[in-house]
Amino acid sequence: MGQAPPISPLSFHWCLGGAAPRRAPGRQGVEAAAEGEDGGRWRRRPQKMSSSCSGLSRVLVAVATALVSASCPCPQAWGPPGVQYGQPGRAMTLCCPGVTAGAPVSWFRDGETRLLQGPDSGLGHELVLARAESTDEGTYICRTLDGALGGMVTLQLGYPPVRPVVSCQAADYENFSCTWSPSQVSGLPTRYLTSYRKKTVPGADGQRMSPSTGPWPCPQDPPGAARCVVHGAEFWSQYRINVTEVNPLGASTRLLDVSLQSILRPDPPQGLRVESVPGYPRRLRASWTYPASWPRQPHFLLKFQLQYRPAQHPAWSTVEPSGLEEVITDAVAGLPHAVRVSARDFLDAGTWSAWSPEAWGTPSTGPLPKEIPAGGQQHAQPEEEPQVVSPAPPRPSLLPDPRPLDHRHVLEQVAMLASLGIFSFLGLVAGALALGLWLRLRPCEKDGPQKSGFLAPMIPVDKLPGYWGS
């Protein structure tokens, strides 16, 4: 049996949803048709044949494949000239190059004089191996009846391709890349055909493909690498990636649906620096910048995660800073500390980035500066400096905290003064009200004798009894 004919990378396209891919004009040969998730089989057909992917065309392709296989047991070489490929355990037919089809030849192994097949075999210019094995690999020589060299053929055995393993990742919200690796090593020359299209909304018209949804080629960067890059992707759209593994024995396709929201993983933050805070033996200041691959836009921000640990300590402490710097307040005095930082989309899309390279810093061991600029005060609360014993130098600092113990925060002093003012004001108001009430209810004192009777001042004189009788 003959093996698969050469497959052109430009002729392997999508066959999804009834869309017929365009072909490069003037190309000759055969075309392999990817069959969705059930890829792994290929069919050969003349390039001028329409690729409508209908049931009738599939039957016609199968018939054409049978006819081509029957009429051409020795297909053209796939890859370097003079090399034919086969699969272990299968029948293999070698053809003598440079002679007329059907001309009788004699076959020999390169470097051996033993005749493998004579000119009277009736097979013409063909050498048939009933069951190819690994020991059959090598170079074969064919000679004409007059002993002239007809040509040389090298046999290489391997396996058909299996659907590759594909994964995709986006370092920002505009571009993403996909990488792949073979599921099984075929041992044969292999190339990959990559393309993508934007998925449409299911519905009556949603299954149709249009130029606005693709497919488009996914350029391999650099050419021949196991990686392709999609530029200018839409953050809220979904895409279908097609990676087809092709070798001389066939083709196999892997389809992968991805969305930027799920595969987003920023690059690690850059420029991480760790500095001591003068006069504070338990503090370190860490700062960093956005990764260069992340476009700075106000509606696509990053949040960060910072980890730190003292030297010779395996456990990491984790904090989530609110910006591009963080002050560590519980560092171990006198010990160097390792610090690293990671990034993620601010709205939790995708996953955390890899950790940045570690940066090291040691807290300050000097005294508190005498002059502190206005607004530059760090924390007013005193810190307790526990004594740390380390088996390796440098030894932990045992100096006491130079800050005064009765030092109070400015806000606390302002609050206390405000409270005293309010209480003083309320006391003055209460005293004024009490004094006014007492003055109003105090009995009036006059120089003359007071008239008898409690109600006497309130009864008119003409109403007194006996007034009209007098």
Side-chain angles (χ1 to χ4, degrees), residues 443-459:
C444 298
E445 297 179 358
K446 297 183 179 180
D447 298 334
Q450 186 176 7
K451 296 182 179 181
S452 61
F454 177 73
L455 297 178
M458 303 181 62
I459 301 177

Side-chain angles (χ1 to χ4, degrees), residues 1-3 69 72-75 84 87 89-96 105-109 114-119 121-133 136 140-142 153 155 157:
M1 291 179 60
Q3 60 275 8
S69 300
C72 185
C74 297
Q84 289 187 231
Q87 183 174 353
R90 301 289 182 89
M92 186 67 194
T93 300
L94 301 180
C95 297
C96 181
V105 296
S106 300
W107 286 93
F108 303 87
R109 289 291 295 266
R114 182 174 60 91
L115 179 65
L116 297 178
Q117 179 178 292
S121 62
L123 298 177
H125 71 300
E126 301 174 1
L127 173 63
V128 177
L129 303 177
R131 183 182 178 87
E133 302 294 344
D136 295 327
Y140 293 79
I141 299 176
C142 56
V153 178
L155 174 62
L157 301 180

Side-chain angles (χ1 to χ4, degrees), residues 24-352:
R27 296 286 295 182
Q28 301 295 329
V30 294
E31 176 179 351
E35 300 189 35
E37 289 295 339
D38 296 328
R41 296 180 297 168
W42 57 270
R43 297 188 174 97
R44 295 175 292 173
R45 51 185 170 179
Q47 285 200 346
K48 295 182 179 179
M49 181 182 293
S50 172
S51 57
S52 62
C53 296
S54 63
L56 179 60
S57 62
R58 292 179 183 272
V59 174
L60 295 178
V61 169
V63 174
T65 302
L67 292 177
V68 171
S69 300
S71 61
C72 185
C74 297
Q76 298 177 354
W78 195 98
V83 180
Q84 289 187 231
Y85 303 93
Q87 183 174 353
R90 301 289 182 89
M92 186 67 194
T93 300
L94 301 180
C95 297
C96 181
V99 300
T100 306
V105 296
S106 300
W107 286 93
F108 303 87
R109 289 291 295 266
D110 186 23
E112 298 181 5
T113 59
R114 182 174 60 91
L115 179 65
L116 297 178
Q117 179 178 292
D120 55 350
S121 62
L123 298 177
H125 71 300
E126 301 174 1
L127 173 63
V128 177
L129 303 177
R131 183 182 178 87
E133 302 294 344
S134 59
T135 56
D136 295 327
E137 289 187 302
T139 303
Y140 293 79
I141 299 176
C142 56
R143 296 184 180 275
T144 59
L145 294 176
D146 57 0
L149 179 62
M152 302 177 65
V153 178
T154 300
L155 174 62
Q156 183 177 349
L157 301 180
Y159 298 91
V162 182
R163 286 188 299 177
V165 178
V166 183
S167 62
C168 298
Q169 179 176 312
D172 56 68
Y173 52 85
E174 295 177 343
N175 313 285
F176 68 91
S177 62
C178 296
T179 57
W180 56 85
S181 60
S183 300
Q184 172 183 303
V185 178
S186 65
L188 299 177
T190 303
R191 53 178 175 252
Y192 293 87
L193 310 177
T194 53
S195 59
Y196 73 99
R197 69 177 179 89
K198 185 168 66 173
K199 294 189 66 176
T200 55
V201 180
D205 298 331
Q207 299 297 333
R208 300 178 182 177
M209 300 179 66
S210 64
S212 62
T213 59
W216 304 286
C218 184
Q220 299 177 18
D221 183 23
R227 177 179 181 266
C228 73
V229 181
V230 176
H231 298 283
E234 298 177 1
F235 187 76
W236 306 108
S237 298
Q238 291 189 341
Y239 295 87
R240 172 162 291 181
I241 309 300
N242 182 333
V243 178
T244 301
E245 181 178 332
V246 185
N247 72 13
L249 301 184
S252 184
T253 298
R254 170 76 70 179
L255 301 179
L256 180 65
D257 294 338
V258 299
S259 64
L260 263 67
Q261 300 178 61
S262 60
I263 64 174
L264 183 63
R265 192 187 188 197
D267 289 333
Q270 298 177 344
L272 177 61
R273 298 178 56 187
V274 181
E275 301 173 332
S276 61
V277 181
Y280 293 87
R282 297 199 61 192
R283 295 187 181 177
L284 289 171
R285 180 183 290 107
S287 60
W288 58 91
T289 61
Y290 270 61
S293 59
W294 187 269
R296 294 297 300 271
Q297 297 292 339
H299 46 283
F300 284 101
L301 301 177
L302 292 177
K303 65 179 182 179
F304 301 95
Q305 191 176 59
L306 182 140
Q307 289 188 342
Y308 60 96
R309 64 176 177 85
Q312 304 176 359
H313 288 248
W316 292 88
S317 300
T318 304
V319 294
E320 290 196 8
S322 58
L324 294 175
E325 68 174 24
E326 176 71 9
V327 175
I328 301 172
T329 59
D330 59 348
V332 179
L335 287 182
H337 288 65
V339 181
R340 62 184 184 181
V341 65
S342 177
R344 187 179 184 178
D345 177 73
F346 187 75
L347 297 179
D348 291 333
T351 58
W352 286 96

